[in-house]
Amino acid sequence: MCSELSSGISSSAGPDRNFKHGGSLEAMDLGLQCMTDFKAFFNDSVRREAVKHGRHRNALLPIGMLPTELLQDIFSLLLFTLRGRRNDLLDGTPTFWTHISSEDDIRFVSEALNMSNHAPLHLQHIGKYPDDPESLFMDKAVPHSHRWESVTLHQTNTELVAKYCRILSPTVKAFRLSSLRGSISESEGLSSLFWGGLKNVEELRVADCGRVGWEGLNCTRLRVLEITGENFLDMGIVLDVLAANLNLEVIRLLRLTFAQCAQPHPSPAPLPLKNLKEPTLRYITHVTADWDWGRDVPIARILQRIQLRPSVAFTLVTELQHESVIKPEQFIYLLPSPMEALAYLSRMDGFQSAKVYAKFTGRKILLEIQEDFRSKPIFSIDVDGLPHHLVNKWVVGALGEATTIPMDLRLHFAGEIPTRSLDGVFSFQLWESVKELSMDGDFRSPLDIGRKFLQLLSTLCTSEDGSQVMPFPKRQNLYLSGLNDIKAKDMLRMVRMRFAPPTSPGATAHGTAPTPCTIYCGNGVGGWKNKCMDDILATAGVQGIKDYKDMFRGSSSTSSEPEWPPPNSFYAHTDGFSESEGSLHDSDAELSQHNSDAEMSLHDLDAEDGEDDI
């Protein structure tokens, strides 16, 4: 704020700020104007700082933890209890009454529709019963359809949509529809809603409606398009919607199946979506008419048609089938380059280092790039079905290009870890950007994989300048889990060789000492007896040994955007599956997280580690 005020003083005062009293009238007017401008700038800066701190303070208040429904009930009760003494300011502010929901007291709904005067309305209807075609809330709202600006219908049904969305409402700019049983006849489709009034819509979200007709949709002003849980889509029709809305800022395609993926030949030029900020593609698959997995790769078709900019927040989650028509070698190079995301971050004000998380799990790669480990990633891909050597080559090549961009890299190797996979781990061994290294084995891993891993961590390697250094010289944290073969003597040998190498006359000396680190153990690693623990902790360079439960567990990014669709809270989910449950695993739940199995206490006096603990 001080720097803003300084620049404001300079820019406001101008070159003639050092005027003298008694000068010309023009000079005095100029000086007065300079002071007036500075006062306005100062007041604005103070106001913005006060608002920022006020919002932060309000976010910490206990009332913020109360459920929204309870707050609505309390507010409605207060309004009608204090009706005779209600503040004139509320009665004279129509926009205060414009956001109404079927969850509100019906008396409040009537009052709000009356007090909102001619202001645009924002409606939210949440169905409580799957077969109820009536809505007292919507009956109240229909006479005001000429004022509808945003309409949200959640857990609705075909009859209710037919009754209340077949009216003329050309003012609708945002339409959100979700259902678990289908809400629109496919033959009529979205184009039939509001008598074709969706042409002015800027935000369109459709979730879990099964098979909604998208053909003939006439809208060219979309900024937000979100399609979730739709089946048997036609790729050509969806791409036509994108082509008709080149000002799109947000595209979210989630849990979709495409029956038709064929594209014209030759392929059209990529769509220049210059305003696109957030493309999200998750669980998009090709299916046949009898619901068998198809061989096409719809996500690849979409990536071929969308021209992405480096500044977008790109998210992709998918799995390649074994016999896909697009091979892994082709698919991986359709992905946006992580280098572009890193370069974009490096140009941001206040940039210090990019936060990068790479998790290798068998044939699966999760790669995230963030401004901060607790912020929303600006680049996130989660792809299963890729050969390990191809994944390793792509990640090493993509991140290796960013040699001049500071980054904090967290490497995580999990699942089945055959001995040959250790070669992939040590593709990064000379990278000073690696700050955290994790190894999570399982029952499929070789019995001696943990010991071999520790041996490699304490074996000198040759750097680019020819000097001898320890692998991962700047690593600050080491996470070990599921490597049951690691005994106390193996850990002790590793830390001594790494941080206190032999000093005999024939021993090889190395230059810069590796960065001290903390070791996190869990799920079969640890539980060593006190004597061994004391020896390990006494080794210079070991800052501590902790349980996995004490580790930093991934990003906790928050968004000001409301959850859509809201939770299905009123009747059981019987068809299909939701993204938060069922067979599909939402990768957001595991972003940057490690194995959370029960950990063995590191100081358990009764832990049995066999004769190897000597």
Side-chain angles (χ1 to χ4, degrees):
M1 178 177 174
C2 294
S3 59
E4 292 182 7
L5 290 176
S6 300
S7 60
I9 293 173
S10 301
S11 60
S12 300
D16 296 324
R17 61 184 180 274
N18 295 322
F19 65 93
K20 296 180 179 180
H21 293 287
S24 66
L25 182 62
E26 292 79 4
M28 296 182 68
D29 288 342
L30 177 60
L32 183 60
Q33 184 61 46
C34 288
M35 289 187 287
T36 302
D37 292 343
F38 171 70
K39 179 181 178 181
F41 180 86
F42 179 83
N43 290 339
D44 182 65
S45 298
V46 171
R47 181 189 62 80
R48 285 188 284 113
E49 286 293 313
V51 168
K52 182 174 71 175
H53 288 289
R55 286 175 176 171
H56 179 67
R57 176 189 176 277
N58 293 341
L60 301 177
L61 292 175
I63 194 173
M65 294 183 286
L66 293 177
T68 303
E69 296 78 7
L70 178 59
L71 290 174
Q72 288 176 332
D73 291 342
I74 294 173
F75 183 67
S76 297
L77 180 62
L78 285 175
L79 280 177
F80 290 98
T81 302
L82 305 175
R83 186 168 183 173
R85 295 172 286 172
R86 198 164 57 204
N87 196 313
D88 291 340
L89 178 62
L90 298 184
D91 293 346
T93 308
T95 53
F96 178 81
W97 306 90
T98 55
H99 290 75
I100 50 179
S101 167
S102 60
E103 297 297 284
D104 295 330
D105 187 289
I106 196 63
R107 296 172 299 168
F108 172 78
V109 172
S110 300
E111 185 81 355
L113 290 170
N114 179 51
M115 300 302 296
S116 60
N117 202 358
H118 299 292
L121 294 173
H122 305 270
L123 310 177
Q124 181 185 53
H125 174 273
I126 300 179
K128 292 191 175 182
Y129 306 101
D131 302 318
D132 189 358
E134 303 293 332
S135 169
L136 181 58
F137 169 76
M138 292 301 294
D139 287 338
K140 295 279 187 181
V142 163
H144 303 268
S145 61
H146 59 285
R147 295 196 284 136
W148 292 0
E149 183 167 294
S150 72
V151 178
T152 298
L153 302 178
H154 179 51
Q155 294 184 171
T156 183
N157 55 59
T158 305
E159 293 78 10
L160 192 142
V161 173
K163 179 175 181 179
Y164 297 109
C165 292
R166 295 293 190 269
I167 60 178
L168 183 63
S169 184
T171 57
V172 174
K173 293 183 179 180
F175 182 61
R176 309 175 191 94
L177 176 69
S178 76
S179 173
L180 299 178
R181 297 177 179 269
S183 298
I184 303 177
S185 169
E186 187 177 9
S187 60
E188 297 178 339
L190 290 169
S191 61
S192 65
L193 299 181
F194 305 114
W195 288 85
L198 289 180
K199 64 181 180 180
N200 294 321
V201 165
E202 298 178 5
E203 177 185 339
L204 178 59
R205 305 187 189 214
V206 178
D208 298 310
C209 290
R211 299 180 67 173
V212 172
W214 290 83
E215 192 169 6
L217 181 64
N218 179 26
C219 54
T220 59
R221 300 182 180 181
L222 285 178
R223 294 184 301 103
V224 177
L225 174 65
E226 182 173 323
I227 311 174
T228 303
E230 293 292 295
N231 299 319
F232 293 99
L233 289 166
D234 187 306
M235 179 65 69
I237 293 177
V238 172
L239 291 177
D240 286 344
V241 173
L242 300 184
N245 294 273
L246 296 181
N247 290 321
L248 275 165
E249 298 176 11
V250 176
I251 299 174
R252 298 193 188 106
L253 305 179
L254 317 170
R255 291 190 288 108
L256 308 181
T257 64
F258 281 84
Q260 300 292 333
C261 297
Q263 292 296 292
H265 185 78
S267 299
L271 299 174
L273 302 174
K274 298 181 179 179
N275 296 328
L276 187 60
K277 299 176 182 177
E278 185 187 330
T280 300
L281 310 173
R282 286 185 177 176
Y283 305 117
I284 303 177
T285 58
H286 176 218
V287 295
T288 62
D290 55 0
W291 279 97
D292 286 335
W293 293 115
R295 297 177 62 242
D296 212 321
V297 186
I299 280 186
R301 307 299 181 189
I302 296 170
L303 291 175
Q304 289 170 334
R305 290 297 312 278
I306 296 179
Q307 184 176 330
L308 297 175
R309 299 178 299 111
S311 58
V312 302
F314 179 76
T315 302
L316 180 145
V317 181
T318 192
E319 179 180 358
L320 293 183
Q321 298 302 310
H322 180 63
E323 297 182 350
S324 299
V325 295
I326 296 180
K327 303 304 179 186
E329 294 79 4
Q330 298 171 298
F331 178 80
I332 200 166
Y333 288 103
L334 289 174
L335 300 175
S337 171
M339 173 64 189
E340 295 180 349
L342 290 169
Y344 171 73
L345 271 183
S346 68
R347 294 191 294 269
M348 296 178 63
D349 292 340
F351 172 79
Q352 294 182 345
S353 67
K355 313 302 180 185
V356 183
Y357 176 70
K359 180 178 181 180
F360 303 83
T361 310
R363 295 171 59 87
K364 183 176 181 179
I365 174 63
L366 170 62
L367 179 64
E368 293 180 334
I369 298 176
Q370 302 161 264
E371 182 181 2
D372 180 86
F373 278 133
R374 294 187 179 274
S375 64
K376 183 176 181 179
I378 69 163
F379 182 94
S380 177
I381 64 164
D382 188 342
V383 183
D384 200 354
L386 297 173
H388 174 80
H389 72 277
L390 181 62
V391 168
N392 187 266
K393 179 180 177 182
W394 182 75
V395 174
V396 171
L399 298 181
E401 295 178 8
T403 55
T404 61
I405 300 176
M407 72 174 81
D408 294 340
L409 177 59
R410 295 163 59 187
L411 292 178
H412 187 182
F413 297 85
E416 182 181 4
I417 308 173
T419 303
R420 65 179 181 274
S421 295
L422 291 179
D423 296 336
V425 176
F426 285 87
S427 298
F428 303 90
Q429 64 180 347
L430 293 176
W431 291 30
E432 294 189 355
S433 57
V434 177
K435 300 301 191 294
E436 297 184 6
L437 179 62
S438 305
M439 179 72 77
D440 293 351
D442 63 15
F443 66 93
R444 297 166 295 179
S445 302
L447 295 178
D448 61 347
I449 190 70
R451 296 183 184 183
K452 289 185 177 180
F453 179 61
L454 294 186
Q455 182 180 355
L456 289 172
L457 284 179
S458 57
T459 301
L460 289 168
C461 55
T462 304
S463 65
E464 294 180 356
D465 62 6
S467 61
Q468 296 288 295
V469 297
M470 282 293 173
F472 308 103
K474 300 296 183 182
R475 189 201 67 212
Q476 299 171 358
N477 296 306
L478 175 64
Y479 303 99
L480 302 171
S481 174
L483 305 172
N484 298 337
D485 62 304
I486 295 180
K487 307 302 180 182
K489 70 175 186 179
D490 303 316
M491 181 63 69
L492 181 58
R493 182 185 300 114
M494 187 275 289
V495 297
R496 284 179 173 175
M497 292 295 295
R498 182 174 179 87
F499 297 109
T503 56
S504 60
T508 302
H510 57 93
T512 305
T515 300
C517 80
T518 301
I519 302 172
Y520 294 82
C521 301
N523 192 19
V525 181
W528 303 310
K529 298 176 181 178
N530 286 347
K531 173 63 168 63
C532 295
M533 179 66 70
D534 292 342
D535 291 341
I536 295 171
L537 292 174
T539 304
V542 177
Q543 292 189 320
I545 299 184
K546 300 181 179 180
D547 288 345
Y548 247 43
K549 63 184 179 182
D550 298 324
M551 64 179 286
F552 171 76
R553 292 187 176 271
S555 61
S556 58
S557 59
T558 58
S559 172
S560 59
E561 187 174 354
E563 179 184 8
W564 174 258
N568 300 304
S569 54
F570 292 107
Y571 54 88
H573 178 41
T574 56
D575 299 328
F577 45 80
S578 70
E579 193 169 7
S580 60
E581 60 186 11
S583 60
L584 285 182
H585 176 65
D586 186 348
S587 69
D588 278 353
E590 68 162 359
L591 289 184
S592 307
Q593 293 193 8
H594 296 261
N595 192 314
S596 59
D597 292 341
E599 297 86 359
M600 182 185 295
S601 171
L602 297 180
H603 298 281
D604 186 357
L605 292 175
D606 297 324
E608 295 295 336
D609 209 10
E611 296 179 358
D612 264 344
D613 253 348
I614 300 174

